[in-house]
Amino acid sequence: MHCYPWKSVMTRPCVLSHVLSLRHFTKHFPGAKSHAFLRTRFHSDTHTASTTTSCFKSLSSTQQNQIHLYVDTLLQWNQKMNLTATKEADEVMERHIEDSLAILPPIKTCYNLQSNGLVNQISLIDVGSGAGLPGLVLAIACPDWRVTLLESINKRCVFLEHVVTITGITNVKIVRGRAESCGHDVMYREKFDVAIARAVAEMRVLAEYCLPLVRVGGLFVAAKGHDPNEEVENAENAVRILGGSILQISPVDSHSPYGQRTTVVCRKDHSTPQKYPREAGTPSKFPL
């Protein structure tokens, strides 16, 4: 688990069905065959500039170029696949990139205070990564972290593999599988310092997806909207059953125009009972 750098390819520990090749998909995306940097023209109005200064502008020029290339590729592939409802580059930057980067400070602060590990050597899994948000963005921003993107849909894994290849990211591993299966796989169960999820499910469900993957002393982080207090309160018992406790609920310093964002951080206090996670589909149908 802790070998580094990781190969930037899809692995198959939790996969039961055939994985289609990257070539199968890229032939339907002519522009995706080129690794040339196709920078999108972002609007330079004051509103956009103010929303991207906080986090994005603090990245190195190489990291910014990787983000731009990721956004270009996301929008290009999104013409043929359902990766995001966001259609414009500056909107992706505001709604997704900035929000993803804004999660970093609470992760680092809580990890430094609560964990016995080094914050610059975190192993993180993004559960239900989808188009790579926030995991791929965090991997770019923190090249010393070891990031696993867990995604159950094959074509999204192919997209993620393509992005990793053309951006040259070396600290990402892509796993095709469901959290319910990987949570029982010895390669992944209680192996990660941090598990994170964004826009995947409600807290009770997320806890069962994520906490079995987190080592004792590690963190489960859920990126939520402006007022998750009732949802978090309803999830307290589930978090406790799964071996965790709710550490903090805090607004993140996001300059996105889509309202306040909140980060919910849970600590893994003891091992998750072996019967969790339950079989595929059960956590979402019958939350704890």
Side-chain angles (χ1 to χ4, degrees):
M1 177 66 208
H2 293 287
C3 59
Y4 182 81
W6 291 359
K7 281 188 175 182
S8 301
V9 296
M10 284 191 291
T11 57
R12 194 177 177 272
C14 307
V15 183
L16 299 178
S17 59
H18 176 65
V19 179
L20 297 178
S21 69
L22 178 62
R23 180 179 299 176
H24 173 85
F25 281 89
T26 53
K27 72 180 182 181
H28 299 293
F29 297 86
K33 293 180 180 179
S34 172
H35 290 184
F37 181 17
L38 304 175
R39 180 184 292 257
T40 303
R41 288 187 177 274
F42 293 90
H43 297 316
S44 58
D45 57 70
T46 303
H47 174 72
T48 300
S50 67
T51 63
T52 58
T53 298
S54 172
C55 297
F56 176 74
K57 294 301 182 183
S58 68
L59 301 178
S60 70
S61 59
T62 297
Q63 291 169 321
Q64 289 184 23
N65 286 342
Q66 288 174 316
I67 293 287
H68 280 309
L69 184 53
Y70 164 58
V71 172
D72 287 340
T73 308
L74 172 63
L75 292 174
Q76 185 180 50
W77 283 56
N78 199 51
Q79 296 174 19
K80 301 290 185 179
M81 295 168 52
N82 182 24
L83 292 169
T84 176
T86 310
K87 306 299 182 183
E88 301 296 332
D90 54 349
E91 190 178 5
V92 173
M93 293 295 293
E94 293 172 348
R95 175 174 289 190
H96 296 309
I97 304 303
E98 273 296 310
D99 275 1
S100 294
L101 292 171
I103 299 170
L104 277 174
I107 292 177
K108 290 181 177 180
T109 299
C110 289
Y111 195 80
N112 275 327
L113 291 174
Q114 300 293 326
S115 178
N116 55 5
L118 299 175
V119 73
N120 62 340
Q121 297 179 1
I122 284 177
S123 61
L124 177 145
I125 184 167
D126 178 14
V127 176
S129 188
L133 299 161
L136 196 146
V137 177
L138 299 183
I140 291 173
C142 302
D144 291 330
W145 288 10
R146 303 177 303 276
V147 177
T148 297
L149 308 180
L150 177 60
E151 172 55 45
S152 63
I153 298 177
N154 184 78
K155 62 183 180 180
R156 292 178 182 169
C157 290
V158 173
F159 165 75
L160 293 171
E161 182 184 359
H162 180 64
V163 171
V164 166
T165 299
I166 66 173
T167 55
I169 304 170
T170 60
N171 61 329
V172 170
K173 179 167 68 173
I174 298 163
V175 177
R176 184 190 169 210
R178 294 184 64 104
E180 300 99 323
S181 299
C182 288
H184 288 286
D185 190 316
V186 294
M187 291 182 63
Y188 301 98
R189 185 177 178 87
E190 299 194 336
K191 291 295 194 296
F192 294 92
D193 299 317
V194 177
I196 191 167
R198 177 179 182 262
V200 174
E202 63 155 297
M203 275 292 297
R204 291 180 297 170
V205 179
L206 286 182
E208 190 165 356
Y209 288 164
C210 294
L211 278 169
L213 299 167
V214 179
R215 67 169 177 83
V216 174
L219 302 177
F220 155 45
V221 180
K224 289 293 179 179
H226 74 285
D227 186 17
N229 291 334
E230 182 177 353
E231 180 183 342
V232 173
E233 184 178 347
N234 291 338
E236 286 182 359
N237 186 55
V239 171
R240 179 186 58 78
I241 290 172
L242 295 160
S245 59
I246 296 173
L247 195 59
Q248 74 171 37
I249 306 171
S250 61
V252 298
D253 187 22
S254 173
H255 292 264
S256 167
Y258 299 98
Q260 177 183 311
R261 298 293 188 262
T262 307
T263 300
V264 182
V265 182
C266 302
R267 187 179 189 273
K268 182 74 171 280
D269 299 315
H270 55 80
S271 292
T272 300
Q274 193 60 42
K275 66 180 179 179
Y276 300 109
R278 292 167 292 171
E279 64 182 16
T282 302
S284 60
K285 291 179 182 177
F286 305 103
L288 292 173

